[in-house]
Amino acid sequence: MMSNVDEDEEKWLAEGIAGVQHNALYMHRALDSNNLREALKYSAQMLSELRTSKLSPHKYYELYMRAFDELRKLEMFFKDESRHGVSIVDLYELVQHAGNILPRLYLLCTVGSVYIKSKEAPAKDVLKDLVEMCRGVQHPIRGLFLRSYLAQVSRDKLPDVGSEYEGDANTVMDAVEFVLQNFTEMNKLWVRMQYQGPGRIREKREKERNELRDLVGKNLHVLSQIEGVDLEMYKDNVLPRVIEQVVNCKDELAQSYLMDCIIQVFPDEYHLQTLETLLGACPQLQPTVDIKTVLSRLMDRLSNYAASSTDVLPEFLQVEAFAKLSNAIGKVIDAQVDMPILGAITLYVSLLSFTLRVHPDRLDYVDKVLGACVAKLSSIPKLEDSRAMKQVVSLLSAPLEKYNDIVTVLTLSNYPRVMDHLDNGTKKVMAMVIIQSIMKNCTCISTDEKVEVLFELLKGLIKDVDETAEDELDEEDFKEEQNSVACLIHMLYNDDLEEMLKIICTVRKHIMTGGPKRLPFTVPPLVFSALRLVRRLKSQDGDVAGEEEPATPKKIFQILSQTIEALSSVPSPELALRLYLQCAEAAGDCDLEAVAYEYFTQAFVLYEEEIADSKAQVTAIHLIIGSLQRMNAFGVENRDTLTHKATGYSARLLKKPDQCRAVYACSHLFWVDDQDGLKDGERVLLCLKRALRIANAAQQMAIIARGISGPVILFVEILNKYLYFFEKGNSQITSSAIQSLVELIRTEMQSDSTPDPAASAFFSSTLRYIEFQKQKGGIMGEKYDSIKV
């Protein structure tokens, strides 16, 4: 519903429009009859409706536009002297006798437009007279619309270069003077509006002033369109006069709007060449003016100008644009001691964006901006404003997006110092941005110094900073973060082996502070990175000469032993065991028997003391057996010791089926094809017989416990092991033993009341394989010939 005030205003507007329409009707009749006196009389009465003080700017504009449309018709009448029979000079004098000043000045401006067009007097003289006469109206709203009308009817009649109204020399300056004078007077009226009425309606007045601001700003647009205003004139006359008016008005709204107008309407090259004047005005503005927006828009325009053509870049260097902008921002921040930290950081973000677009090759400029931001952040106890925090992230992200190369960013000494001012959560966000940039661009960080700086930047991800925050962290987010760190570790590489060792040591120094939750994610990639280095060293036959202690496999294995030991105490014994076995195999490849033996020893210790879960034990013992089988570096004594341990642990697993499978897997420890001397058929047979006994015991236990036979599939699996070693030429595995085992399986299956489909299919497939070997003939066919299936 409309308030009483709104209803009254609508009524007043309706009355005003009715008055305009009524008098316009009589004016039209006078125009049709070419009656000048009557036309002037009713036009003056029509324009008297604009004397109202009851309407808001928005409503007053509606009324003004009704009168404006009628004035255009009156102007056409004034142009045709044959209709009214009065010379334009006399007409110009005649309208000045109107009773009220506001109608008089509207009519004077209308006739003045025709007067200039007739060229019976110099345009500059008429314009000067009009702009001076308009001072007679000092009511803000009425005065603004009157001067707006003057600007409107005169804009195509200015004595500009190339214009039909151009007079003698220096007429461009007359045009500039007219527009500047009109602008100055309009700005004074606009500013004066804030002092009208009681203080309690200040907010309403500010809204009304905002509605009228374009009337003032249009003057600056007209100035920018004057062809004769070249750089020199703009620099020496136009800009200083406009800036003087902006500064002297001491009004927040006017200063904010007009500074933005200056930046938007005048050419970019003018801004570049008058940067000092423009920037010099900023510290003189009111403390409440949003300087950051003004400067940001200026820098955006200059950045776009620089991006438009490479030919203009020397101009930026010539005028020292960066230095001037940097100094201006510093002065503004120093002058406005109450400026929120958000405003200061926003200015630095804009300056950095300008620098990266205009001077991307000047890393010293980029670092200087970051340094200035550090200085500002250091002046406050703690950065708590979330919006300011986002701006800092934007500041740090800009160089990454520009260079697409973290290596370049790592050379900026102030970059990590800016990051230090972020809270822990935002540091993690920024660290993820850095890692994603590295992944996206496949960046290779190849020196330990750069790795050191990088991991300092990433410390929010690689170590516990705030224990309470860590407890609240989402598990999925945490895994994603740590997996990203793990991927990053894999990307660190240097062809120089000595430098690569330094990188590994640097990474280890940082990730070892990661705490029990992080180490399982970050230690494995470090271990595998180190093992790649070990294999590279082995391919180069030994040590690498260097100024410091040379990189050797033994030295790396010492580092890895300490690293994995920390992981086993987290505790994460299963992962530590896997890594010990990987290291043992790598040590074996380097013929470091003692080192490999020590790693196996550590794996067995973990198995004995830390791995209690039966499923984990099964997995672990199979990993140990598989790794031990592939080792060829051990002497007889060490291998026998480790093999004995493996078979012993296999036989002591909790579940009989697990025991059986582990024991028959141990048979491979005594028969290795590519190692001479490791073909002990007798011990292979002992393992397989022991597996059969355990399988039989599993059958008996199943019958006693559940009344049904146990898993026949164990016998089928053992049969396949017999066949494997039979084909490999193990003399202890005979065809008669295989025949007996086949008969045993058949008997067990026939007696099984609930046969296992998987076991039946596996056994049938095995029998088909035996038949296939028999039919194939040759030596192998002869070996299988005695087996009846």
Side-chain angles (χ1 to χ4, degrees):
M1 294 179 63
M2 294 176 63
S3 66
N4 291 335
V5 175
D6 291 336
E7 288 178 356
D8 289 342
E9 193 173 21
E10 288 293 334
K11 184 181 73 171
W12 294 328
L13 175 61
E15 290 174 354
I17 291 174
V20 169
Q21 290 174 336
H22 174 76
N23 287 293
L25 178 63
Y26 285 101
M27 185 187 76
H28 291 162
R29 290 177 181 173
L31 295 179
D32 291 341
S33 60
N34 297 328
N35 189 332
L36 176 62
R37 185 173 297 276
E38 290 296 303
L40 291 175
K41 172 185 170 183
Y42 288 111
S43 62
Q45 290 177 8
M46 175 189 73
L47 292 167
S48 292
E49 299 294 338
L50 296 176
R51 295 169 60 204
T52 181
S53 301
K54 297 177 180 179
L55 300 178
S56 65
H58 180 69
K59 299 298 183 184
Y60 190 90
Y61 175 75
E62 289 186 42
L63 185 62
Y64 165 81
M65 288 307 298
R66 296 294 183 107
F68 178 83
D69 290 340
E70 300 303 330
L71 285 173
R72 305 310 292 170
K73 299 170 186 174
L74 185 62
E75 183 181 359
M76 297 301 294
F77 174 71
F78 289 156
K79 283 180 182 178
D80 192 351
E81 189 177 329
S82 64
R83 293 179 63 186
H84 54 74
V86 179
S87 70
I88 193 64
V89 176
D90 293 339
L91 187 59
Y92 189 70
E93 290 293 331
L94 181 62
V95 295
Q96 296 185 41
H97 298 291
N100 292 309
I101 190 168
L102 188 65
R104 181 196 314 157
L105 291 175
Y106 270 105
L107 290 172
L108 189 64
C109 291
T110 308
V111 175
S113 171
V114 178
Y115 195 7
I116 296 172
K117 206 168 184 65
S118 71
K119 300 179 185 176
E120 293 188 26
K124 64 176 184 177
D125 294 339
V126 180
L127 291 173
K128 183 177 181 181
D129 190 38
L130 291 175
V131 80
E132 290 287 346
M133 295 285 276
C134 285
R135 285 184 176 176
V137 178
Q138 289 298 311
H139 184 277
I141 294 180
R142 295 198 291 264
L144 279 169
F145 277 95
L146 172 63
R147 288 187 173 274
S148 175
Y149 179 70
L150 172 60
Q152 182 72 23
V153 298
S154 64
R155 64 182 303 168
D156 60 343
K157 302 172 183 68
L158 297 177
D160 192 8
V161 172
S163 164
E164 59 179 302
Y165 308 105
E166 181 182 8
D168 301 329
N170 208 29
T171 54
V172 174
M173 197 60 222
D174 294 320
V176 170
E177 188 64 37
F178 166 76
V179 178
L180 281 175
Q181 192 172 346
N182 200 45
F183 161 72
T184 301
E185 293 299 327
M186 288 184 76
N187 190 48
K188 289 177 180 177
L189 292 169
W190 186 43
V191 171
R192 195 183 303 152
M193 277 185 69
Q194 67 180 308
Y195 303 112
Q196 281 192 312
R200 65 178 179 273
I201 61 169
R202 178 178 177 81
E203 186 176 335
K204 179 185 176 185
R205 286 201 307 269
E206 289 299 300
K207 181 183 177 184
E208 290 178 348
R209 290 187 64 209
N210 257 316
E211 292 173 356
L212 293 171
R213 63 183 190 173
D214 285 345
L215 298 180
V216 183
K218 282 178 181 177
N219 288 282
L220 298 180
H221 180 70
V222 171
L223 267 178
S224 69
Q225 300 298 309
I226 297 176
E227 292 289 336
V229 177
D230 57 12
L231 176 59
E232 184 179 353
M233 182 179 291
Y234 176 78
K235 185 175 182 181
D236 296 339
N237 295 294
V238 176
L239 184 60
R241 292 273 299 278
V242 174
I243 290 293
E244 179 185 12
Q245 178 60 32
V246 172
V247 172
N248 289 341
C249 73
K250 299 187 183 305
D251 177 69
E252 175 194 347
L253 178 61
Q255 289 181 339
S256 297
Y257 172 68
L258 294 176
M259 287 297 288
D260 187 49
C261 278
I262 294 169
I263 292 167
Q264 299 303 329
V265 303
F266 290 107
D268 297 324
E269 58 267 30
Y270 285 16
H271 291 325
L272 189 58
Q273 297 300 327
T274 58
L275 205 50
E276 202 162 348
T277 305
L278 202 53
L279 295 174
C282 292
Q284 302 177 58
L285 302 180
Q286 296 298 102
T288 51
V289 173
D290 187 8
I291 298 286
K292 70 177 186 300
T293 302
V294 173
L295 289 175
S296 296
R297 286 177 178 167
L298 174 60
M299 287 185 277
D300 285 344
R301 280 212 65 174
L302 292 176
S303 298
N304 292 333
Y305 179 50
S308 66
S309 172
T310 55
D311 297 338
V312 302
L313 293 179
E315 295 180 35
F316 283 85
L317 294 171
Q318 183 182 3
V319 301
E320 298 179 337
F322 171 79
K324 289 176 181 176
L325 286 167
S326 181
N327 291 337
I329 288 172
K331 287 179 181 177
V332 167
I333 292 173
D334 292 340
Q336 298 193 6
V337 290
D338 295 330
M339 178 185 283
I341 189 65
L342 172 63
I345 297 172
T346 302
L347 281 174
Y348 289 127
V349 170
S350 296
L351 180 59
L352 184 62
S353 176
F354 167 83
T355 306
L356 291 171
R357 293 180 70 178
V358 180
H359 304 293
D361 55 328
R362 294 298 298 267
L363 291 177
D364 55 327
Y365 285 179
V366 176
D367 207 32
K368 185 177 179 180
V369 178
L370 296 174
C373 187
V374 170
K376 183 61 182 177
L377 290 170
S378 301
S379 66
I380 60 172
K382 186 180 179 182
L383 184 60
E384 296 179 338
D385 187 335
S386 60
R387 293 178 301 165
M389 200 81 71
K390 288 181 180 178
Q391 286 296 310
V392 174
V393 171
S394 297
L395 188 82
L396 293 167
S397 302
L400 285 173
E401 293 169 2
K402 177 64 181 179
Y403 298 118
N404 289 326
D405 181 13
I406 188 64
V407 176
T408 302
V409 175
L410 293 178
T411 62
L412 302 170
S413 61
N414 286 306
Y415 195 88
R417 295 173 62 200
V418 175
M419 271 195 74
D420 287 340
H421 290 277
L422 297 174
D423 61 30
N424 295 330
T426 313
K427 280 180 182 174
K428 288 184 179 181
V429 172
M430 196 61 230
M432 286 296 289
V433 169
I434 291 172
I435 293 178
Q436 287 162 6
S437 172
I438 294 172
M439 300 294 176
K440 178 183 175 183
N441 300 296
C442 299
T443 308
C444 179
I445 296 96
S446 56
T447 67
D448 71 309
E449 292 89 353
K450 288 175 182 172
V451 170
E452 176 70 38
V453 177
L454 175 62
F455 273 70
E456 276 297 317
L457 296 177
L458 305 179
K459 61 187 175 186
L461 293 180
I462 58 180
K463 70 177 181 180
D464 294 331
V465 187
D466 184 346
E467 292 182 6
T468 56
E470 294 301 322
D471 294 338
E472 299 170 1
L473 186 65
D474 181 77
E475 192 66 27
E476 289 300 317
D477 289 344
F478 179 77
K479 287 181 178 179
E480 182 184 356
E481 291 170 0
Q482 298 311 304
N483 284 330
S484 295
V485 175
C487 291
L488 173 66
I489 294 171
H490 282 301
M491 295 186 71
L492 307 176
Y493 183 81
N494 193 308
D495 287 326
D496 182 87
L497 303 179
E498 192 71 37
E499 189 66 31
M500 188 63 208
L501 179 58
K502 290 180 183 178
I503 290 174
I504 289 170
C505 292
T506 301
V507 173
R508 180 181 179 275
K509 178 185 73 175
H510 285 277
I511 68 169
M512 295 310 285
T513 61
K517 289 182 69 176
R518 288 180 174 79
L519 288 179
F521 291 93
T522 53
V523 166
L526 176 65
V527 170
F528 282 101
S529 182
L531 292 179
R532 282 200 303 272
L533 177 59
V534 166
R535 291 183 172 92
R536 287 169 60 196
L537 284 165
K538 178 178 178 292
S539 68
Q540 294 200 1
D541 294 328
D543 300 347
V544 177
E547 295 179 7
E548 302 176 13
E549 185 179 347
T552 65
K554 189 175 292 187
K555 181 178 179 181
I556 295 170
F557 283 125
Q558 290 171 356
I559 295 170
L560 289 178
S561 182
Q562 298 164 7
T563 305
I564 301 172
E565 186 178 351
L567 183 62
S568 64
S569 63
V570 165
S572 186
E574 294 95 338
L575 180 57
L577 183 139
R578 288 172 181 269
L579 295 176
Y580 275 134
L581 294 176
Q582 288 287 339
C583 292
E585 289 191 48
D589 292 341
C590 296
D591 296 323
L592 297 173
E593 182 181 359
V595 175
Y597 186 85
E598 178 60 27
Y599 278 124
F600 266 103
T601 302
Q602 293 298 326
F604 278 121
V605 169
L606 278 178
Y607 180 85
E608 290 175 358
E609 299 178 359
E610 302 292 341
I611 301 177
D613 180 74
S614 60
K615 288 184 178 179
Q617 285 183 338
V618 171
T619 302
I621 199 64
H622 279 281
L623 287 171
I624 291 171
I625 293 168
S627 297
L628 188 55
Q629 182 205 359
R630 291 190 293 271
M631 296 294 294
N632 55 18
F634 290 131
V636 175
E637 184 179 347
N638 284 339
R639 187 173 186 89
D640 282 350
T641 302
L642 296 173
T643 302
H644 178 72
K645 276 283 186 185
T647 52
Y649 286 130
S650 298
R652 291 200 294 273
L653 289 171
L654 179 63
K655 297 178 181 179
K656 289 295 181 182
D658 293 336
Q659 284 183 23
C660 176
R661 291 185 173 103
V663 168
Y664 72 59
C666 286
S667 63
H668 289 280
L669 298 177
F670 304 107
W671 192 281
V672 182
D673 286 336
D674 59 353
Q675 286 185 252
D676 296 333
L678 266 180
K679 292 184 179 179
D680 190 339
E682 187 175 343
R683 294 179 74 177
V684 168
L685 183 60
L686 285 173
C687 280
L688 294 178
K689 284 183 176 180
R690 190 174 186 180
L692 274 173
R693 288 197 301 272
I694 296 170
N696 189 57
Q699 285 280 66
Q700 299 305 318
M701 288 177 65
I703 292 171
I704 294 170
R706 300 194 296 274
I708 58 173
S709 59
V712 179
I713 197 167
L714 290 175
F715 293 107
V716 183
E717 291 171 5
I718 295 169
L719 171 61
N720 277 269
K721 291 298 176 184
Y722 266 84
L723 294 177
Y724 172 81
F725 289 111
F726 181 63
E727 289 187 7
K728 291 296 181 181
N730 186 341
S731 59
Q732 300 295 319
I733 306 296
T734 62
S735 58
S736 59
I738 293 173
Q739 186 70 57
S740 299
L741 188 51
V742 169
E743 296 303 326
L744 172 65
I745 294 170
R746 279 190 172 136
T747 302
E748 291 291 340
M749 284 188 167
Q750 289 169 2
S751 63
D752 191 354
S753 58
T754 56
D756 179 8
S760 300
F762 190 9
F763 182 54
S764 298
S765 179
T766 304
L767 294 180
R768 286 197 300 273
Y769 176 78
I770 295 171
E771 189 63 39
F772 169 75
Q773 292 290 26
K774 290 171 65 176
Q775 293 175 3
K776 191 166 67 171
I779 299 175
M780 193 62 67
E782 291 177 5
K783 290 183 70 172
Y784 275 94
D785 195 51
S786 58
I787 301 173
K788 307 298 182 186
V789 295

